[in-house]
Amino acid sequence: MTAVMSPTRAQTLRNRYGYGIGTIGRDAAYTLLSMFLLYYLSDTLQVSTPVFAAITVILLVVRVIDAIVDPFVGVLVDNTRSRFGKFKPWIVGGVLGSSSLLVALFAPWQLGDAAFIAVFTVVYIAWSAAYAANDIGYWSMLPALTQNQREREKIGAFARICASIGTFAIVIGIVPISSAIAEATGDVASSFFWVALVVAVITVVLQLVMVVLVREDPTVVTQSHTRFRELFGVIFRNDQLLAIAAAFVLFMTAFSVTAGLGVFYMEYVYGDLGMYSVFAAVLGVSQLTALALYPLAASRMSRRRLFTIALFIVVAGYVFFFLTPPGGLVMLVGAGVAVFAAQAVIQIQLLMFIADTVEYGEHKFGRRNDSITLSVQPFIYKLSSALANGVIGWVVLASGMKDAASAAEMTEPGVFLVRTAMCIVPGILIVISYFVYRRFYVLDEGKYAVIVEELQARKTEAATAAQSTSPADEAEGRPVGA
């Protein structure tokens, strides 16, 4: 006879897998924009050099401003009270808006240079605002699903697996799919538009599935209204949140530069753009494998030890990558596997480290601010993406890739600049990020367990005190038991 699963266990599984499913489309959409927007403008639309330079600066400025605004959006999410909870209205509204605007960003507008820059800027700012609403609502829901650290890791690991599926579906498919569309339609400029449209539809559908499946933990108590003037206190007094944010801005900037230059590298340094999809497929499989094995590794060693091992592998991969000779595909793949597999592990840990600082802040300051705290994760990604886009745009122009027709037209100094920007500079940033983490982040598994235990004791004590107070005593102002 088949055992009947308890509702609690059933909902736990629905949370674990439903939450992860929602990341597939949204990460595909983010990857399309963050990794391939500059390539689309440079090589598909072939905008002029002044337009490309202007948009590079616009992306940098808007993303920095957007990152700074994210914590304010976190306040709005934290203060939301609705029949659907505080997270889901922002998730749904944000995904509908950002998906529509994603399609608009890849529309092949036939405009003059000044008009193109103006329209692009307006649409990009609107997309950033809508994506921020969805992003903060989405990730700040994680701590509200469970306070069990191991279950959080399982939810986070599966979410990162699904996110990687979305990411690498774009990374692997963008070149052959857009080329096939261009050949079939005879319109190269609109090829990315159709890809963006399909991605937008998938994103909306899967996020709506997530909203239906996922339920918050009813034992997680929502705090009172948070004022905007309290925002900076929530963030800047949480020393553990600041420590992990500083470390990961350095790490994600380094990795984003490498990932963003990848398609340029394969076309203008390696000399075979067609190999980009093959290379990306190998990296995707390695990353998914690392994510699938993460729960097993996390159960056998401490987070700090696992983080240290992963950082060492990433740096070794960068060194190996830099030493790879032209045409050395085997060495290139080996270096890529090391970097991307270890990076997958580090991204899960970033999410876990930040999520744990929610309870740390609640324990330290007596109030719980899921969304403000988790808004630091998109802040990290957006700030690092902004810095990386600035570096990538500069490298594309300074190395000669913008004006080169193929790898044969690249100069030796230009190739050296690309390789240095992809390997040496990121490696240095990652080493610095590790020292920041080891020096300042002390919230390990033991400290977190003590914090959660004390929080539960406080809630039990408060509930007992409330039950022991009689309504009559409260009404007449008499001490209880008098």
Side-chain angles (χ1 to χ4, degrees):
M1 183 177 177
T2 303
V4 178
M5 185 176 292
S6 68
T8 301
R9 177 61 177 166
Q11 188 56 57
T12 295
L13 295 178
R14 285 173 59 163
N15 280 353
R16 186 185 304 170
Y17 299 119
Y19 188 78
I21 287 170
T23 67
I24 296 175
R26 69 187 304 280
D27 275 67
Y30 186 78
T31 300
L32 180 63
L33 191 139
S34 65
M35 286 184 62
F36 297 103
L37 181 58
L38 288 177
Y39 181 79
Y40 164 72
L41 295 171
S42 172
D43 284 48
T44 302
L45 279 190
Q46 295 184 345
V47 299
S48 66
T49 297
V51 170
F52 185 83
I55 287 178
T56 297
V57 174
I58 290 167
L59 292 176
L60 173 61
V61 173
V62 173
R63 293 299 268 175
V64 170
I65 294 173
D66 192 25
I68 294 171
V69 169
D70 276 352
F72 292 91
V73 179
V75 174
L76 296 176
V77 177
D78 263 341
N79 290 338
T80 299
R81 303 290 181 269
S82 78
R83 57 178 294 193
F84 304 107
K86 66 179 181 178
F87 306 109
K88 292 181 179 180
W90 293 91
I91 293 172
V92 173
V95 75
L96 293 176
S98 62
S99 297
S100 302
L101 292 162
L102 176 75
V103 177
L105 280 170
F106 286 95
W109 309 318
Q110 300 298 319
L111 302 170
D113 285 0
F116 184 92
I117 293 171
V119 172
F120 178 89
T121 302
V122 171
V123 176
Y124 187 79
I125 290 172
W127 173 85
S128 295
Y131 189 83
N134 174 266
D135 202 34
I136 293 170
Y138 196 93
W139 290 113
S140 61
M141 182 189 286
L142 176 60
L145 298 180
T146 179
Q147 289 185 306
N148 183 291
Q149 205 173 38
R150 289 303 179 196
E151 181 58 29
R152 272 188 190 173
E153 287 182 340
K154 291 177 181 178
I155 295 174
F158 186 71
R160 290 311 315 168
I161 288 173
C162 292
S164 290
I165 290 173
T167 294
F168 281 97
I170 294 299
V171 173
I172 295 168
I174 190 64
V175 172
I177 292 174
S178 61
S179 299
I181 293 173
E183 184 176 347
T185 63
D187 184 5
V188 175
S190 65
S191 58
F192 273 66
F193 168 80
W194 294 109
V195 174
L197 181 60
V198 172
V199 169
V201 172
I202 293 173
T203 300
V204 171
V205 171
L206 293 182
Q207 290 249 310
L208 292 179
V209 170
M210 183 281 296
V211 166
V212 171
L213 291 179
V214 170
R215 297 287 184 276
E216 298 165 39
D217 183 351
T219 65
V220 176
V221 180
T222 300
Q223 298 299 316
S224 58
H225 185 85
T226 301
R227 298 177 179 86
F228 279 108
R229 67 171 180 265
E230 298 172 313
L231 165 64
F232 295 102
V234 172
I235 294 175
F236 289 102
R237 291 192 299 160
N238 192 325
D239 56 294
Q240 295 304 283
L241 179 61
L242 291 179
I244 208 62
F248 275 94
V249 164
L250 292 168
F251 177 86
M252 289 308 303
T253 299
F255 181 77
S256 297
V257 168
T258 302
L261 283 171
V263 66
F264 291 103
Y265 178 89
M266 296 304 292
E267 182 169 3
Y268 295 105
V269 178
Y270 185 78
D272 186 355
L273 182 59
M275 285 301 298
Y276 180 75
S277 295
V278 177
F279 183 58
V282 174
L283 301 186
V285 171
S286 67
Q287 191 167 85
L288 289 172
T289 302
L291 290 168
L293 294 176
Y294 177 81
L296 177 63
S299 68
R300 298 195 173 191
M301 65 182 74
S302 69
R303 285 182 176 176
R304 173 158 290 192
R305 183 180 178 189
L306 185 57
F307 187 80
T308 301
I309 292 172
L311 257 293
F312 177 81
I313 292 173
V314 168
V315 173
Y318 273 121
V319 173
F320 205 51
F321 188 8
F322 184 77
L323 296 176
T324 300
L329 183 61
V330 174
M331 289 182 66
L332 188 64
V333 169
V337 167
V339 172
F340 277 77
Q343 183 267 347
V345 172
I346 292 167
Q347 274 198 310
I348 296 179
Q349 293 199 306
L350 165 63
L351 181 58
M352 296 301 104
F353 290 149
I354 294 178
D356 288 353
T357 64
V358 172
E359 281 77 27
Y360 176 81
E362 182 182 5
H363 180 267
K364 190 172 182 178
F365 308 118
R367 63 185 306 153
R368 184 181 183 90
N369 292 105
D370 305 73
S371 297
I372 295 176
T373 304
L374 266 293
S375 70
V376 172
Q377 178 180 254
F379 170 87
I380 291 170
Y381 282 112
K382 289 176 182 178
L383 180 58
S384 60
S385 176
L387 297 173
N389 275 334
V391 172
I392 292 167
W394 176 78
V395 170
V396 169
L397 293 172
S399 67
M401 289 191 291
K402 177 67 179 69
D403 298 320
S406 66
E409 296 185 11
M410 290 290 292
T411 64
E412 189 172 325
V415 170
F416 181 78
L417 175 60
V418 175
R419 292 166 65 86
T420 300
M422 287 188 72
C423 306
I424 300 302
V425 174
I428 293 171
L429 291 177
I430 287 173
V431 169
I432 296 172
S433 76
Y434 178 70
F435 284 116
V436 172
Y437 161 76
R438 285 300 300 261
R439 173 65 179 82
F440 297 106
Y441 190 79
V442 297
L443 188 58
D444 58 18
E445 293 91 332
K447 288 183 175 63
Y448 178 81
V450 171
I451 285 171
V452 171
E453 185 178 345
E454 291 183 2
L455 287 174
Q456 293 297 334
R458 289 181 190 177
K459 293 173 184 176
T460 301
E461 183 180 345
T464 302
Q467 291 174 358
S468 66
T469 303
S470 72
D473 289 335
E474 287 185 346
E476 296 179 21
R478 295 195 304 262
V480 178

